[in-house]
């Protein structure tokens, strides 16, 4: 018995080592820098004064991430539902197609969206045939398109995974009791897939709100997000780790709070079902 | 005779080239408790699903109160279903599950409340309103499922093996309760089961199905006493089914003996299947005048109420239930009353059933168990 539990502990050691080096210690550093000044002295909440300076950046980040998340949900939910209703073999193919872009590097994916949207890009040369030319690059629209394209699979997969586990008999029971197909969707299918929606929303919203590459590549100077601000603070020549860490810390708190709020909407036992895909 | 409420006419259905139902016609009357009985894969559940509207028939017509039902979706049918594994909504509590149908009808809260209360009382679940579905036992979930269906005041209630997942004791209790509910409400029950005992004890009418066809429709006593073919005779209760010849009206010859019987209307010397139930055979002394047949006892099993013995008569193994003790390897005589003999026309099921040479209780139970799992 004892030996067994020792073996189990040994097996989980690599994870603990990983977690300490790449999660716990960095968070410790973030906290350390956020609450100290450039000489390493405890600075209380002094660093947090810069939040005011970045208030509009924070709100723009949250707004764009929110829009992208909603668009992902509006596209992802019907897509996941449609896939879950096909034959099992078809489902495998369709889900593979959804995941396929994720096999390609994130930066390349974002660059390819840029190529599509550029002034002389694919979209404009197609529209050119009709005498139309659109300024799409360096707009917030382009940023949202990039976010949706990059993170849509993270919305589809958890929702799909919950929907495939949903007992078809429950839908039959709903129609038997008088639901038309829309009522069956709103009264039974949607409430029972809420756990998948919550994990999908979390998995899309979190990377969207903290992204910097998408906004730089597609948003140009017009779209300066909190991720860009953190990157600038950390990597520019006049690097200021303390202010950068403070911004990171605030962003982290924001994400934790919004995740907690969303998890509040699902029961514990239901979120277990959604966890499968994560 | 009561009015016909559901009519199925020439229904056929196949899935992926496999014929599930072939040309079924069935008429169901108001207030009737009708049971579709058959082994797994016989098409009984598909028949039920066609009435509910979850499947559409390839050919044939479904009528509900003389209105054609084929293209009416399930939610517009005044029919409700109790599902095999209950299919209760896990995101709603007991009260909301039962109230589900009424909420869809936009009924007011104050009108819903007394109705739910009344339904929960009917199924003996008073005070369970606030309970989470997952905290209920199988029997309690079953009751919620029944209440959830009945509250909509359906004209017809469909029950798909509703007791299949319950243990034996609970199943017996629920059988009585279901029967009482049916009598109290007067709703037509269409009940699907593979359990012949359940079918016989609860139903007004039993429909025996096999291979996508209706084998026989009748009252439980008819089905038991006058099975139409070897399949029905074998499926319902225990039967000795032997080859025989109908010499003339009221005279049947089988196992080398000419018997008086009550059957008539066959051709002269027509080959037939003869059914004799194990409890209808009397064991007599082999040398007595009453002995019509004689055989050697090959096994004896004590069953409590009676002994179940297997007797070898000219190589054909008969099962006989008797209260008199006989020893194994003993030679005994058998006496059969004329009314214990039932003569059936030859069918595609002739010679497939009825010999007890490979019979064992264990096998019987095993095949029952696999059936439950498959369904």
């Amino acid at each position: 018995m004892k030996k067994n539990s020792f073996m189990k502990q040994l097996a989980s050691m690599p994870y603990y080592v990983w977690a300490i080096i790449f999660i716990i210690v960095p968070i410790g550093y973030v906290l350390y820098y956020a609450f100290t000044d450039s000489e390493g002295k405890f600075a209380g909440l002094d660093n947090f004064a810069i939040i005011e300076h970045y208030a509009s950046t924070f709100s723009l980040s949250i707004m764009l991430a929110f829009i992208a998340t909603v668009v992902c949900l509006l596209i992802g939910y019907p897509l996941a539902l449609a896939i879950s209703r096909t034959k099992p073999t078809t489902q495998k193919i369709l889900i593979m197609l959804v995941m396929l872009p994720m096999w390609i590097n994130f930066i390349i994916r974002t660059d390819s969206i840029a190529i599509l949207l550029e002034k002389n890009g694919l979209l404009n040369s197609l529209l050119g045939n009709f005498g139309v030319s659109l300024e799409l690059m360096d707009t917030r629209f382009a940023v949202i398109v990039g976010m949706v394209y990059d993170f849509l699979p993270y919305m589809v997969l958890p929702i799909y995974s919950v929907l495939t586990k949903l007992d078809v008999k429950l839908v039959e029971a709903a129609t038997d009791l008088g639901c038309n197909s829309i009522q069956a969707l709103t009264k039974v299918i949607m409430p029972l897939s809420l756990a998948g929606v919550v994990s999908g929303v979390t998995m899309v919203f979190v990377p969207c709100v903290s992204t910097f590459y998408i906004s730089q590549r597609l948003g140009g100077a017009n779209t300066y997000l909190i991720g860009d601000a953190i990157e600038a603070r950390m990597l520019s020549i006049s690097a200021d780790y303390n202010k950068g860490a403070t911004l990171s810390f605030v962003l982290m708190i924001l994400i934790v709070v919004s995740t907690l709020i969303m998890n509040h909407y699902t029961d514990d036992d239901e979120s277990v079902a959604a966890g499968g895909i994560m | 005779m009561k009015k016909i409420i559901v009519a199925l006419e020439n229904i056929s259905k196949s899935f992926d080239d496999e014929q599930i139902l072939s040309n079924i016609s069935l008429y169901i009357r108001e207030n009737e408790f009708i049971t579709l009985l058959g082994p797994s894969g016989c098409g009984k559940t598909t028949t039920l699903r066609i009435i509910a509207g979850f499947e559409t028939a390839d050919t044939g017509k479904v009528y509900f109160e003389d209105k054609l039902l084929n293209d009416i979706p399930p939610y517009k049918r005044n029919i409700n279903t109790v599902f095999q594994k209950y299919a209760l909504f896990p995101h709603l509590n007991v009260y909301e599950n039962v109230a589900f149908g009424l909420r869809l009808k936009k009924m007011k809260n104050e009108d819903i409340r007394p109705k739910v209360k009344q339904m929960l009382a009917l199924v003996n679940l008073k005070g369970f309103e606030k309970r989470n579905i997952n905290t209920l036992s199988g029997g309690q979930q079953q009751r919620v499922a029944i209440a959830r269906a009945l509250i909509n005041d359906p004209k017809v209630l469909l029950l798909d093996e509703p007791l299949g997942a319950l243990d034996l004791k609970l199943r017996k209790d629920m059988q009585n309760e279901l029967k009482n509910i049916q009598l109290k409400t007067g709703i037509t029950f269409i009940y699907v089961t593979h359990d012949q005992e359940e079918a016989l004890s609860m139903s007004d009418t039993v429909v025996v199905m096999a291979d996508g066809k209706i084998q026989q429709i009748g009252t439980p006593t008819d089905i038991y006493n006058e099975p139409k073919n070897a399949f029905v005779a074998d499926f319902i209760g225990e039967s000795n089914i032997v080859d025989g010849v109908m010499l003339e009206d009221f005279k049947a010859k089988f196992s080398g003996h000419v018997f008086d019987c009550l059957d008539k209307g066959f051709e002269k010397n027509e080959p037939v299947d003869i059914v004799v139930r194990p409890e209808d055979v009397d064991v007599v002394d082999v040398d007595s005048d009453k002995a019509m047949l004689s055989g050697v006892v090959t096994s004896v099993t004590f069953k409590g109420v009676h002994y179940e013995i297997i007797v070898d008569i000219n190589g054909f193994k008969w099962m006989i239930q008797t209260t008199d003790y006989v020893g194994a390897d003993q030679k005994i005589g058998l006496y059969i009353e004329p009314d214990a003999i039932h003569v059936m026309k030859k069918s595609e099921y002739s010679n497939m059933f009825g010999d007890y040479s490979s019979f064992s209780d264990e096998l019987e139970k095993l095949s029952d168990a696999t059936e439950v799992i498959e369904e």
Side-chain angles (χ1 to χ4, degrees):
Chain A
M1 225 19 222
K2 261 218 166 115
K3 199 174 178 187
N4 188 19
S5 68
F6 173 73
M7 288 304 283
K8 271 188 193 163
Q9 279 185 357
L10 199 69
S12 52
M13 274 311 279
Y15 170 73
Y16 287 129
V17 171
W18 174 277
I20 288 165
I21 296 176
F22 293 105
I23 301 173
I24 310 288
V25 171
I27 288 178
Y29 268 99
V30 169
L31 285 172
Y32 168 75
Y33 280 113
F35 290 97
T36 53
D37 62 16
S38 52
E39 272 124 42
K41 279 190 208 136
F42 181 68
L45 295 174
D46 290 356
N47 291 336
F48 288 82
I50 59 153
I51 298 174
E52 207 184 330
H53 179 65
Y54 284 105
S56 62
T57 315
F58 267 112
S59 57
L60 179 65
S61 296
I62 291 169
M63 190 185 78
L64 292 187
F66 178 77
I67 294 171
T69 307
V70 169
V71 173
C72 277
L73 184 61
L74 291 178
I75 299 171
Y77 195 96
L79 183 61
L81 186 64
I83 294 174
S84 72
R85 291 296 178 86
T86 59
K87 280 191 215 152
T89 46
T90 322
Q91 283 185 25
K92 271 187 195 151
I93 296 168
L94 292 174
I95 279 301
M96 204 191 72
L97 288 175
V98 168
M99 298 209 318
L100 203 58
M102 291 165 73
W103 298 358
I104 300 160
N105 180 279
F106 167 77
I107 291 175
I108 299 173
R109 269 185 286 156
T110 310
D111 284 353
S112 56
I113 286 287
I115 292 166
L116 275 178
L117 299 181
E118 266 165 5
K119 194 158 191 189
N120 304 315
L122 201 61
L123 191 63
N124 269 328
S125 60
L126 275 176
L127 289 172
N129 296 332
F130 305 97
V132 184
S133 175
L134 294 173
E135 281 293 341
L136 294 169
M137 279 300 281
D138 301 341
T139 61
R140 285 169 191 177
F141 171 77
V143 174
I144 290 169
V145 170
M147 286 174 172
V148 170
Y149 177 68
D150 280 330
F151 301 123
L152 183 63
Y154 298 104
M155 184 64 83
V156 176
L157 293 181
I159 296 175
Y160 163 79
S161 123
V162 171
L163 286 177
T164 46
K165 282 182 214 139
L166 191 114
D167 189 355
V168 188
K169 287 271 187 271
L170 292 178
V171 183
E172 282 184 359
T175 56
D176 187 76
L177 293 166
C179 284
N180 58 32
S181 47
I182 291 168
Q183 287 169 320
L185 183 69
T186 56
K187 289 187 186 297
V188 175
I189 300 175
M190 294 221 291
L192 286 175
S193 55
L194 200 61
V197 171
V198 166
S199 61
V201 164
T202 311
M203 286 166 78
V204 171
F205 182 78
V206 171
C208 280
V209 83
S210 57
T211 188
F212 57 92
Y213 188 73
I214 297 175
S215 49
Q216 283 168 13
R217 187 72 179 85
L218 303 171
N222 292 323
T223 322
Y224 192 68
L225 299 185
I226 198 65
D228 301 312
I230 293 169
E231 195 213 11
R233 284 282 172 183
M234 294 291 202
L235 299 181
S236 64
I237 304 158
S238 58
D240 181 350
Y241 271 43
N242 304 98
K243 300 272 166 43
T246 307
L247 290 178
S248 297
F249 181 71
V250 172
L251 181 61
M252 213 160 68
I253 297 295
L254 269 175
I255 289 170
V256 168
V257 168
S258 50
T259 309
L260 286 178
I261 291 171
M262 277 184 290
N263 282 341
H264 178 73
Y265 289 103
T266 49
D267 292 334
D268 291 341
D269 52 2
E270 277 173 302
S271 48
V272 171
I277 198 79
M278 288 177 72
Chain B
M1 271 299 227
K2 292 257 172 60
K3 227 179 78 196
I4 287 170
I5 186 158
V6 174
L8 303 178
E9 285 179 359
N10 307 104
I11 300 285
S12 292
K13 173 80 184 172
S14 44
F15 293 112
D16 301 329
D17 300 331
E18 198 190 336
Q19 187 88 3
I20 301 296
L21 292 177
S22 34
N23 210 24
I24 293 245
S25 293
L26 182 61
Y27 301 91
I28 297 159
R29 291 174 188 280
E30 277 180 343
N31 301 354
E32 196 171 8
F33 193 127
I34 188 166
T35 299
L36 308 181
L37 172 67
S40 74
C42 72
K44 56 191 192 297
T45 296
T46 306
T47 309
L48 200 73
R49 290 174 62 80
I50 287 173
I51 300 172
F54 303 135
E55 308 280 357
T56 44
D58 297 338
T59 57
K61 287 176 177 144
V62 185
Y63 292 98
F64 180 74
E65 295 186 313
D66 300 329
K67 287 189 297 276
L68 188 64
L69 208 57
N70 285 40
D71 299 321
I72 311 256
Y75 67 91
K76 286 188 184 157
R77 299 185 182 196
N78 195 1
I79 294 174
N80 287 108
T81 307
V82 176
F83 291 86
Q84 192 176 6
K85 290 191 186 93
Y86 325 134
L88 297 174
F89 303 123
H91 59 301
L92 303 175
N93 63 18
V94 169
Y95 181 94
E96 287 303 325
N97 262 280
V98 177
F100 194 86
L102 299 184
R103 291 220 186 279
L104 287 168
K105 288 179 189 143
K106 304 259 181 286
M107 202 181 265
K108 282 192 204 118
N109 268 332
E110 57 263 38
D111 297 332
I112 293 176
R113 212 167 299 128
K115 284 203 143 206
V116 173
K117 221 172 167 191
Q118 185 199 337
M119 273 302 143
L120 288 177
L122 181 73
V123 296
N124 287 325
L125 281 181
K126 268 187 199 159
F128 278 71
E129 284 88 345
K130 292 261 155 51
R131 289 279 292 272
N132 185 323
I133 292 302
N134 298 322
T135 65
L136 301 183
S137 70
Q140 290 164 338
Q141 292 195 21
Q142 180 59 71
R143 289 157 202 263
V144 176
I146 293 164
R148 182 181 70 171
L150 284 178
I151 201 166
N152 302 293
D153 222 357
K155 292 241 172 93
V156 175
L157 187 69
L158 309 179
L159 302 102
D160 184 8
E161 305 239 7
L163 309 182
L166 303 181
D167 61 54
L168 190 66
K169 172 79 175 67
L170 198 53
R171 198 190 300 190
K172 297 268 180 225
D173 294 346
M174 284 301 291
Q175 282 176 12
N176 289 332
E177 265 185 66
L178 273 177
K179 185 69 196 169
N180 286 338
I181 289 171
Q182 195 261 338
L183 292 173
K184 233 187 267 178
T185 56
I187 295 169
T188 305
F189 274 34
I190 307 178
Y191 193 98
V192 159
T193 183
H194 66 267
D195 181 338
Q196 43 113 353
E197 204 184 310
E198 198 167 284
L200 295 182
S201 60
M202 297 169 83
S203 322
D204 301 321
T205 308
V206 177
V207 179
V208 184
M209 295 180 70
D211 304 322
K213 292 186 204 103
I214 291 176
Q215 302 297 331
Q216 186 168 2
I217 304 176
T219 63
T221 18
D222 279 351
I223 298 273
Y224 189 84
N225 291 335
E226 310 282 328
K228 231 179 204 158
N229 62 35
F231 177 85
V232 179
D234 180 73
F235 194 73
I236 313 291
E238 300 293 348
S239 304
N240 300 295
I241 306 169
V242 291
D243 278 335
V245 176
M246 206 61 189
L247 299 175
E248 58 188 85
D249 283 356
F250 312 116
K251 285 257 181 287
K253 186 179 176 197
F254 58 92
S255 302
H257 185 89
V258 178
F259 293 83
D260 289 325
C261 65
L262 305 179
D263 300 79
K264 59 180 166 79
F266 294 86
E267 310 246 335
K268 262 198 167 38
N269 296 321
E270 183 178 337
V272 289
D273 288 330
I274 307 282
V275 180
V276 182
R277 297 288 184 184
E279 69 272 22
D280 291 339
V281 181
D282 291 334
V283 175
V284 294
D285 195 73
V286 68
D287 300 320
S288 87
D289 299 341
K290 284 183 83 182
M292 295 165 154
L293 300 173
S294 63
V296 179
V297 178
T298 62
S299 85
V300 181
T301 315
F302 180 58
K303 289 283 180 181
V305 184
H306 55 249
Y307 295 96
E308 197 168 270
I309 61 175
I310 305 291
V311 184
D312 186 331
I313 300 171
N314 304 332
F316 190 95
K317 303 271 169 86
W318 287 58
M319 178 195 276
I320 289 156
Q321 290 163 354
T322 172
T323 47
D324 305 322
Y325 176 76
V326 289
D329 300 326
Q330 194 183 330
K331 202 165 163 56
I332 56 168
L334 301 174
Y335 170 78
I336 305 167
E337 289 274 356
D339 66 357
I341 294 165
H342 174 63
V343 183
M344 305 181 301
K345 289 236 178 228
K346 283 276 175 194
S347 70
E348 56 181 304
Y349 297 104
S350 297
N351 303 321
M352 284 170 67
F353 307 103
D355 185 355
Y356 283 92
S357 54
S358 58
F359 177 80
S360 87
D361 276 343
E362 221 168 311
L363 260 173
E364 189 92 324
K365 281 196 187 103
L366 261 171
S367 65
D368 272 0
T370 46
E371 173 139 28
V372 173
I373 292 159
E374 276 166 26
E375 301 254 334

